[in-house]
Amino acid sequence: MKEQFKITINASRKKVWETLWGDETYTQWTAPFCEGSKAITDWQEGSKVLFTDREDRGMIAVIARCIPYEYMSFKMLGELIDGVEDYTSDNVKKFAGGFENYTLTQDGDKTLLVIDLSGTNMDKGIMDYLLAAWPKSLDILKSISEE
């Protein structure tokens, strides 16, 4: 699977970056994926990230690359189920090793955000759900970033 999403935001790269990864704003723009979602990490390259919901379920990744205000790459590693980390189940094997990459390019007073998703083989139902949620999430991200 390989998918790409793009959006132009009337804000600086710094503002878009801070909206993407800020504790409060992350929860807002990711709501179309899951209400109450959060990212637990220190946002440093090489650090583990827990993308969780209110029931301690979600995805586990590592920050493969981080260039502040320009690029963030997450490598998917596993799944969090009721607070328990799973790295080996058949379900995890469908997406482990996949990447979610965020590239921010400044264009005058606007920022082009490109998100590339690759290397996963998730079930069609899950993929359809995620592909429908991305445009909604990016619209929210744009709105918050432009405030």
Side-chain angles (χ1 to χ4, degrees), residues 73-101:
S73 176
F74 298 104
K75 182 178 182 182
M76 298 303 151
L77 300 177
E79 187 173 27
L80 190 67
I81 304 168
D82 297 324
V84 177
E85 296 182 15
D86 171 15
Y87 297 95
T88 59
S89 70
D90 288 342
N91 191 50
V92 166
K93 291 175 186 172
K94 293 177 182 179
F95 63 84
F99 284 88
E100 192 169 296
N101 299 324

Short mmCIF file of all heavy atoms in Angstrom, two decimals, residues 73-101:
data_model
loop_
_atom_site.label_atom_id
_atom_site.label_comp_id
_atom_site.label_asym_id
_atom_site.label_seq_id
_atom_site.Cartn_x
_atom_site.Cartn_y
_atom_site.Cartn_z
N SER A 73 9.31 11.23 10.28
CA SER A 73 9.06 9.89 9.76
C SER A 73 8.82 8.93 10.91
O SER A 73 9.64 8.83 11.82
CB SER A 73 10.25 9.41 8.93
OG SER A 73 10.05 8.07 8.50
N PHE A 74 7.67 8.25 10.84
CA PHE A 74 7.34 7.23 11.84
C PHE A 74 7.42 5.86 11.19
O PHE A 74 6.84 5.64 10.12
CB PHE A 74 5.91 7.42 12.36
CG PHE A 74 5.68 8.73 13.05
CD1 PHE A 74 4.98 9.74 12.40
CD2 PHE A 74 6.14 8.95 14.32
CE1 PHE A 74 4.74 10.95 13.02
CE2 PHE A 74 5.92 10.17 14.96
CZ PHE A 74 5.22 11.17 14.30
N LYS A 75 8.13 4.94 11.82
CA LYS A 75 8.15 3.54 11.39
C LYS A 75 7.24 2.76 12.33
O LYS A 75 7.43 2.77 13.55
CB LYS A 75 9.57 2.97 11.44
CG LYS A 75 9.62 1.52 10.95
CD LYS A 75 11.04 0.99 10.96
CE LYS A 75 11.06 -0.44 10.43
NZ LYS A 75 12.43 -0.99 10.48
N MET A 76 6.25 2.10 11.76
CA MET A 76 5.28 1.36 12.55
C MET A 76 5.92 0.07 13.07
O MET A 76 6.58 -0.66 12.33
CB MET A 76 4.04 1.03 11.72
CG MET A 76 3.30 2.25 11.24
SD MET A 76 2.81 3.30 12.62
CE MET A 76 2.81 4.89 11.84
N LEU A 77 5.70 -0.19 14.36
CA LEU A 77 6.32 -1.35 15.00
C LEU A 77 5.31 -2.35 15.55
O LEU A 77 5.57 -3.55 15.54
CB LEU A 77 7.21 -0.91 16.17
CG LEU A 77 8.36 0.02 15.88
CD1 LEU A 77 9.06 0.39 17.17
CD2 LEU A 77 9.33 -0.63 14.90
N GLY A 78 4.20 -1.85 16.07
CA GLY A 78 3.28 -2.76 16.75
C GLY A 78 1.97 -2.11 17.09
O GLY A 78 1.65 -1.01 16.63
N GLU A 79 1.22 -2.81 17.92
CA GLU A 79 -0.12 -2.39 18.30
C GLU A 79 -0.25 -2.40 19.82
O GLU A 79 0.32 -3.26 20.49
CB GLU A 79 -1.12 -3.36 17.67
CG GLU A 79 -2.56 -2.99 17.81
CD GLU A 79 -3.46 -3.94 17.00
OE1 GLU A 79 -3.09 -5.10 16.77
OE2 GLU A 79 -4.54 -3.49 16.63
N LEU A 80 -1.00 -1.46 20.34
CA LEU A 80 -1.28 -1.37 21.77
C LEU A 80 -2.72 -1.83 21.97
O LEU A 80 -3.64 -1.27 21.37
CB LEU A 80 -1.10 0.07 22.25
CG LEU A 80 -1.12 0.31 23.75
CD1 LEU A 80 0.10 -0.32 24.41
CD2 LEU A 80 -1.14 1.81 24.03
N ILE A 81 -2.90 -2.86 22.79
CA ILE A 81 -4.23 -3.40 23.05
C ILE A 81 -4.44 -3.44 24.55
O ILE A 81 -3.76 -4.18 25.27
CB ILE A 81 -4.40 -4.82 22.46
CG1 ILE A 81 -4.09 -4.80 20.95
CG2 ILE A 81 -5.80 -5.35 22.72
CD1 ILE A 81 -3.94 -6.15 20.33
N ASP A 82 -5.36 -2.60 25.03
CA ASP A 82 -5.63 -2.51 26.48
C ASP A 82 -4.34 -2.29 27.27
O ASP A 82 -4.14 -2.89 28.33
CB ASP A 82 -6.38 -3.75 26.97
CG ASP A 82 -7.74 -3.90 26.31
OD1 ASP A 82 -8.39 -2.87 26.06
OD2 ASP A 82 -8.14 -5.05 26.03
N GLY A 83 -3.46 -1.46 26.73
CA GLY A 83 -2.22 -1.11 27.42
C GLY A 83 -1.09 -2.11 27.24
O GLY A 83 0.00 -1.90 27.74
N VAL A 84 -1.34 -3.22 26.52
CA VAL A 84 -0.32 -4.24 26.31
C VAL A 84 0.28 -4.08 24.92
O VAL A 84 -0.45 -3.98 23.93
CB VAL A 84 -0.92 -5.66 26.47
CG1 VAL A 84 0.13 -6.72 26.19
CG2 VAL A 84 -1.51 -5.84 27.86
N GLU A 85 1.60 -4.04 24.83
CA GLU A 85 2.28 -3.86 23.55
C GLU A 85 2.42 -5.19 22.83
O GLU A 85 2.88 -6.17 23.40
CB GLU A 85 3.65 -3.21 23.78
CG GLU A 85 3.53 -1.82 24.35
CD GLU A 85 4.86 -1.12 24.55
OE1 GLU A 85 5.89 -1.57 24.00
OE2 GLU A 85 4.87 -0.09 25.27
N ASP A 86 1.98 -5.21 21.56
CA ASP A 86 2.02 -6.41 20.72
C ASP A 86 2.90 -6.11 19.51
O ASP A 86 2.62 -5.19 18.74
CB ASP A 86 0.60 -6.77 20.28
CG ASP A 86 0.55 -7.87 19.22
OD1 ASP A 86 1.57 -8.55 19.00
OD2 ASP A 86 -0.52 -8.03 18.59
N TYR A 87 3.95 -6.89 19.34
CA TYR A 87 4.87 -6.71 18.21
C TYR A 87 4.90 -7.93 17.28
O TYR A 87 5.63 -7.91 16.29
CB TYR A 87 6.30 -6.46 18.72
CG TYR A 87 6.43 -5.18 19.52
CD1 TYR A 87 6.36 -5.20 20.92
CD2 TYR A 87 6.64 -3.97 18.89
CE1 TYR A 87 6.48 -4.03 21.65
CE2 TYR A 87 6.76 -2.79 19.61
CZ TYR A 87 6.67 -2.83 20.99
OH TYR A 87 6.79 -1.67 21.72
N THR A 88 4.14 -8.98 17.59
CA THR A 88 4.33 -10.24 16.88
C THR A 88 3.08 -10.88 16.29
O THR A 88 3.20 -11.84 15.54
CB THR A 88 4.99 -11.29 17.82
OG1 THR A 88 4.14 -11.48 18.95
CG2 THR A 88 6.38 -10.83 18.28
N SER A 89 1.90 -10.39 16.59
CA SER A 89 0.68 -11.05 16.11
C SER A 89 0.55 -10.95 14.59
O SER A 89 1.21 -10.14 13.94
CB SER A 89 -0.55 -10.43 16.77
OG SER A 89 -0.76 -9.12 16.27
N ASP A 90 -0.33 -11.78 14.03
CA ASP A 90 -0.58 -11.74 12.58
C ASP A 90 -1.08 -10.37 12.16
O ASP A 90 -0.72 -9.88 11.08
CB ASP A 90 -1.59 -12.82 12.18
CG ASP A 90 -0.98 -14.21 12.24
OD1 ASP A 90 0.27 -14.33 12.25
OD2 ASP A 90 -1.75 -15.19 12.28
N ASN A 91 -1.91 -9.73 12.98
CA ASN A 91 -2.42 -8.41 12.64
C ASN A 91 -1.29 -7.38 12.55
O ASN A 91 -1.25 -6.57 11.63
CB ASN A 91 -3.46 -7.96 13.67
CG ASN A 91 -4.20 -6.72 13.22
OD1 ASN A 91 -4.70 -6.67 12.09
ND2 ASN A 91 -4.26 -5.72 14.07
N VAL A 92 -0.36 -7.44 13.49
CA VAL A 92 0.76 -6.51 13.51
C VAL A 92 1.64 -6.71 12.27
O VAL A 92 2.13 -5.74 11.68
CB VAL A 92 1.59 -6.67 14.80
CG1 VAL A 92 2.93 -5.97 14.70
CG2 VAL A 92 0.81 -6.14 15.99
N LYS A 93 1.79 -7.95 11.83
CA LYS A 93 2.62 -8.24 10.67
C LYS A 93 2.10 -7.56 9.41
O LYS A 93 2.84 -7.37 8.45
CB LYS A 93 2.75 -9.74 10.46
CG LYS A 93 3.58 -10.41 11.54
CD LYS A 93 3.59 -11.91 11.39
CE LYS A 93 4.32 -12.53 12.58
NZ LYS A 93 4.20 -13.98 12.59
N LYS A 94 0.83 -7.15 9.39
CA LYS A 94 0.24 -6.49 8.22
C LYS A 94 0.71 -5.05 8.07
O LYS A 94 0.62 -4.48 6.98
CB LYS A 94 -1.29 -6.51 8.32
CG LYS A 94 -1.87 -7.89 8.22
CD LYS A 94 -3.37 -7.85 8.39
CE LYS A 94 -3.96 -9.24 8.34
NZ LYS A 94 -5.41 -9.22 8.53
N PHE A 95 1.18 -4.44 9.15
CA PHE A 95 1.59 -3.03 9.05
C PHE A 95 2.98 -2.75 9.64
O PHE A 95 3.54 -1.69 9.37
CB PHE A 95 0.55 -2.10 9.69
CG PHE A 95 0.35 -2.31 11.15
CD1 PHE A 95 1.20 -1.72 12.08
CD2 PHE A 95 -0.69 -3.10 11.62
CE1 PHE A 95 1.02 -1.91 13.43
CE2 PHE A 95 -0.87 -3.29 12.98
CZ PHE A 95 -0.02 -2.70 13.89
N ALA A 96 3.53 -3.65 10.43
CA ALA A 96 4.86 -3.41 11.00
C ALA A 96 5.87 -3.21 9.87
O ALA A 96 5.84 -3.91 8.87
CB ALA A 96 5.27 -4.57 11.89
N GLY A 97 6.71 -2.21 10.04
CA GLY A 97 7.69 -1.88 9.02
C GLY A 97 7.20 -0.82 8.05
O GLY A 97 7.98 -0.30 7.26
N GLY A 98 5.92 -0.48 8.13
CA GLY A 98 5.37 0.58 7.29
C GLY A 98 5.79 1.94 7.81
O GLY A 98 6.22 2.08 8.96
N PHE A 99 5.66 2.95 6.95
CA PHE A 99 6.06 4.30 7.32
C PHE A 99 4.94 5.30 7.12
O PHE A 99 4.10 5.14 6.23
CB PHE A 99 7.26 4.76 6.46
CG PHE A 99 8.55 4.16 6.88
CD1 PHE A 99 8.96 2.93 6.36
CD2 PHE A 99 9.38 4.79 7.80
CE1 PHE A 99 10.16 2.35 6.75
CE2 PHE A 99 10.58 4.22 8.20
CZ PHE A 99 10.97 3.00 7.67
N GLU A 100 4.96 6.31 7.98
CA GLU A 100 4.08 7.48 7.85
C GLU A 100 5.02 8.68 7.90
O GLU A 100 5.64 8.95 8.93
CB GLU A 100 3.10 7.48 9.03
CG GLU A 100 1.96 8.45 8.89
CD GLU A 100 0.90 8.22 9.95
OE1 GLU A 100 0.26 7.14 9.96
OE2 GLU A 100 0.72 9.11 10.79
N ASN A 101 5.17 9.36 6.75
CA ASN A 101 6.14 10.45 6.61
C ASN A 101 5.44 11.78 6.36
O ASN A 101 4.56 11.85 5.50
CB ASN A 101 7.11 10.15 5.47
CG ASN A 101 7.90 8.88 5.70
OD1 ASN A 101 8.27 8.56 6.82
ND2 ASN A 101 8.15 8.15 4.64
#
